[in-house]
Amino acid sequence: MPLSERQTQILARLQHAGGSLSSSELTDTFGVSVQTIRKDLNELSNQGLVQRVHGGITLPNRNLSFSNRQVINLEAKRAIARAVAASLPEGACIFLGIGTTPQQVALALLDHPGLQVITNNLNAAMTLCHNPRIETLLAGGRVRPSDQDMTGEDTTAFLRRFRVNFGIFGIGGLSARGDLMDFSPEESHISRAIIECSEQRILVADSSKYLRNAPVRSGSLSDVHLYVTESICPSVAALLEQAGTELLCAGSGGVRTASKTGRTARRQEMEP
């Protein structure tokens, strides 16, 4: 069921508020009645996007299903995807990881002149098969129906057989210390395989991932060459500077590159 503009804004505020909001805050913010906000919260709860608690809402204590995550921060994910797709040179070999932002990258690659893509993302593979100039290799393994991807030992072993030019992956959350967090050990193993088998590592994550809770540490920002997001706060900018990671900000004002860091990241000279 499509979300209204107000419901989309409620989800964004919930993410940025650290995962908890009161009904009174929302009625004051949007200038609507308690009954209107209650209806919005009930609809969001029925779709599994929030958890109702006394006096308000919290984020669910587990990752949302793929279909639910697809509607959250969609325009930000599309902007990130367009920026990444435009930077990939013809003939490059890439990993494309799990999640809804990598899926948007796949959609943005539909007009790309040619790539080889290795992925365990079922939606990405189904999208890319519509571009005859892209060779897609889909990893085997255990299918996770709620996430629409492949995981497990076979999946990780398949990815580790390759050495690619660009590894493009998402995360469950980014901690205050710059840790890359995932929701399960299986997801973490996939992230580590991409990080360790890619010449250039590209993290794609919208701004809501900062301070989002996820239990498994997969690495740190120092493992990443390029961080692509739609907007940046001073805390994340400081983490990127400390890690030596380049920032590509793909907000509503178009793509812009923040100050270069100590790491030699080559956004404008990305060659396989």
Side-chain angles (χ1 to χ4, degrees), residues 2 48 55 72 107 132 140 159 196 198 218 220 246 248-249:
I72 299 176
L107 287 166
L159 297 180
E196 293 169 12
S198 303
S218 298
S220 69
E246 187 182 5
L248 179 59
C249 196

Side-chain angles (χ1 to χ4, degrees), residues 15-238:
Q15 297 275 0
H16 288 292
S20 178
L21 281 175
S22 70
S23 299
S24 60
E25 288 179 79
L26 293 170
T27 55
D28 291 342
T29 298
F30 293 102
V32 296
S33 68
V34 173
Q35 291 78 10
T36 297
I37 287 297
R38 184 180 296 122
K39 181 181 178 182
D40 283 333
L41 300 188
N42 285 338
E43 290 180 2
L44 292 172
S45 178
N46 290 338
Q47 295 187 54
L49 298 172
V50 304
Q51 182 174 334
R52 292 300 307 269
V53 295
H54 180 69
I57 53 172
T58 64
L59 286 172
N61 55 13
R62 54 178 174 78
N63 199 16
L64 300 172
S65 69
F66 190 92
S67 58
N68 283 338
R69 283 182 280 133
Q70 282 180 309
V71 302
I72 299 176
N73 297 327
L74 180 57
E75 289 308 313
K77 294 172 182 177
R78 286 173 173 166
I80 292 167
R82 289 192 295 268
V84 172
S87 72
L88 295 173
E90 183 177 358
C93 181
I94 71 171
F95 283 135
L96 196 54
I98 60 178
T100 55
T101 306
Q103 183 209 12
Q104 289 299 321
V105 174
L107 287 166
L109 290 173
L110 284 176
D111 294 322
H112 198 279
L115 293 168
Q116 183 182 54
V117 180
I118 299 100
T119 186
N120 65 320
N121 187 322
L122 291 173
N123 283 280
M126 292 298 293
T127 296
L128 293 171
C129 71
H130 293 287
N131 183 342
R133 298 178 297 277
I134 294 180
E135 178 187 7
T136 305
L137 285 75
L138 178 62
R142 179 176 64 88
V143 178
R144 297 194 302 176
S146 64
D147 294 276
Q148 300 177 22
D149 58 28
M150 316 289 282
T151 60
E153 293 182 6
D154 290 341
T155 308
T156 304
F158 180 83
L159 297 180
R160 287 190 176 277
R161 291 169 56 188
F162 298 89
R163 179 72 178 177
V164 305
N165 305 119
F166 305 102
I168 303 165
F169 67 105
I171 50 173
L174 178 65
S175 78
R177 299 189 305 174
D179 296 317
L180 311 181
M181 307 302 293
D182 282 306
F183 283 95
S184 71
E186 292 81 8
E187 291 178 353
S188 180
H189 294 158
I190 297 296
S191 295
R192 288 308 310 171
I194 292 175
I195 288 169
E196 293 169 12
C197 298
S198 303
E199 295 169 2
Q200 293 282 319
R201 279 90 72 180
I202 302 174
L203 175 62
V204 291
D206 67 78
S207 57
S208 71
K209 296 298 179 71
Y210 182 54
L211 300 183
R212 186 183 181 201
N213 290 325
V216 184
R217 183 181 183 276
S218 298
S220 69
L221 280 177
S222 61
D223 294 319
V224 176
H225 293 97
L226 178 65
Y227 179 71
V228 188
T229 189
E230 92 287 2
S231 66
I232 194 78
C233 69
S235 297
V236 175

